[in-house]
């Protein structure tokens, strides 16, 4: 069991470039999430997918889009990267919405120059 | 939305001492409170959680207490060891999981 797999691990983008962060889980979880982590800010929710076929905005969705491709995969797209999007991005999954623990991926460190 | 405050932001203890991290939440509808440990450069990992119908839960050296009336919950680590050094995050769940800003725990040998 790989758990939650994120790619890539590191990425440097120029301002205005686009990219997609990939996330896949093999635990048959229904719910998936994208968080960003910035120093002193904790983990902030960007988007989530409560179940296959649904997506919803979190606390900081501006500048991002998501796709729940199937039950396993949930991607995060930056259409026009900005320096303010420099961060560590974590994907997570849980059995369902509610009182279930999250399993996190290993993260993507993104730098926008 | 939910707001989770976490204190202290940093905590230094000697090996063998106890460590306590406290969190408060704002939404009385929150009903699930997990704690995550994040070692440097690693992913957050769930270490313990508590649901709103329980006041205390223990797992070996770690315990969590919940006071629903006061809307606060705490993580207690006893007999701390250097490998407990990490950033600890509390969280509260209502419609989604809201995290505190984290506590950096440093355990000195």
């Amino acid at each position: 069991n790989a758990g939650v797999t994120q790619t890539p691990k590191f990425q440097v983008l120029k301002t205005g470039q686009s990219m997609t962060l990939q996330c896949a889980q093999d635990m048959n979880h229904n719910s998936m999430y994208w968080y960003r982590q910035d120093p002193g800010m904790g983990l902030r929710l960007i988007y989530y997918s409560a179940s296959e076929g649904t997506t919803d905005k979190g606390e900081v969705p501006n500048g991002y889009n998501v796709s729940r491709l199937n039950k396993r995969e949930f991607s995060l797209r930056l259409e026009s990267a900005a320096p303010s999007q420099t961060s560590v991005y974590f994907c997570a999954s849980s059995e369902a919405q509610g009182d279930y623990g999250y399993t996190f991926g290993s993260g993507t460190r993104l730098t926008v120059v | 939305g939910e707001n989770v405050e976490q204190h202290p932001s940093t905590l230094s203890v000697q090996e063998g001492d106890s460590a306590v991290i406290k969190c408060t939440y704002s939404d009385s509808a929150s009903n699930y409170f997990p704690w995550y440990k994040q070692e440097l450069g690693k992913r957050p990992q769930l270490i313990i959680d508590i649901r709103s119908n329980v006041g205390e839960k223990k797992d070996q050296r770690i315990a969590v207490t919940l006071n629903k009336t006061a809307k606060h919950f705490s993580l207690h680590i006893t007999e701390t060891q250097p490998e407990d050094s990490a950033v600890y995050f509390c969280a509260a769940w209502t419609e989604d999981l809201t995290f505190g800003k984290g506590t950096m725990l440093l355990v000195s040998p």
Side-chain angles (χ1 to χ4, degrees):
Chain A
N1 263 358
V4 179
T5 303
Q6 283 183 243
T7 56
K9 293 190 182 304
F10 302 94
Q11 184 71 49
V12 179
L13 289 179
K14 293 182 179 179
T15 298
Q17 286 185 318
S18 62
M19 78 162 295
T20 300
L21 280 64
Q22 307 286 352
C23 175
Q25 51 91 9
D26 62 3
M27 297 172 288
N28 201 35
H29 284 174
N30 289 298
S31 301
M32 298 184 74
Y33 315 87
W34 277 104
Y35 283 87
R36 61 177 288 173
Q37 185 174 36
D38 302 293
M41 297 296 291
L43 291 151
R44 293 183 292 169
L45 183 64
I46 305 171
Y47 271 93
Y48 67 99
S49 172
S51 61
E52 186 178 357
T54 69
T55 60
D56 285 288
K57 295 178 180 180
E59 180 185 355
V60 289
N62 290 346
Y64 306 95
N65 283 302
V66 290
S67 295
R68 184 75 183 266
L69 305 170
N70 47 56
K71 190 172 185 178
R72 290 186 63 249
E73 299 173 287
F74 187 41
S75 62
L76 177 72
R77 182 161 179 83
L78 287 70
E79 290 291 351
S80 180
S84 60
Q85 294 178 304
T86 293
S87 188
V88 179
Y89 292 85
F90 285 100
C91 177
S93 70
S94 65
E95 188 172 332
Q97 285 280 86
D99 58 347
Y100 298 95
Y102 287 12
T103 300
F104 283 86
S106 57
T108 295
R109 185 173 294 276
L110 176 66
T111 302
V112 183
V113 297
Chain B
E2 175 66 278
N3 182 50
V4 177
E5 299 283 341
Q6 183 171 348
H7 300 279
S9 56
T10 59
L11 179 58
S12 294
V13 300
Q14 293 291 120
E15 183 176 1
D17 287 350
S18 294
V20 180
I21 303 170
K22 299 181 179 181
C23 290
T24 60
Y25 60 98
S26 60
D27 191 340
S28 57
S30 291
N31 59 7
Y32 174 62
F33 307 91
W35 287 86
Y36 289 82
K37 175 183 179 183
Q38 186 178 28
E39 297 176 352
L40 187 63
K42 301 288 182 64
R43 73 191 76 191
Q45 291 192 297
L46 179 69
I47 55 171
I48 194 168
D49 56 14
I50 191 167
R51 291 165 176 79
S52 58
N53 60 345
V54 175
E56 183 176 4
K57 183 177 179 180
K58 289 183 179 180
D59 183 3
Q60 300 183 330
R61 295 188 296 108
I62 61 174
V64 58
T65 58
L66 172 64
N67 183 326
K68 286 192 298 181
T69 303
K71 289 190 283 188
H72 68 70
F73 56 113
S74 300
L75 178 71
H76 305 252
I77 306 174
T78 59
E79 301 172 22
T80 54
Q81 301 167 2
E83 51 264 39
D84 294 329
S85 295
V87 178
Y88 292 80
F89 292 96
C90 64
W93 194 89
T94 312
E95 296 180 343
D96 55 55
L97 203 56
T98 301
F99 286 83
K101 289 182 168 51
T103 296
M104 180 177 292
L105 174 64
L106 177 61
V107 181
S108 303

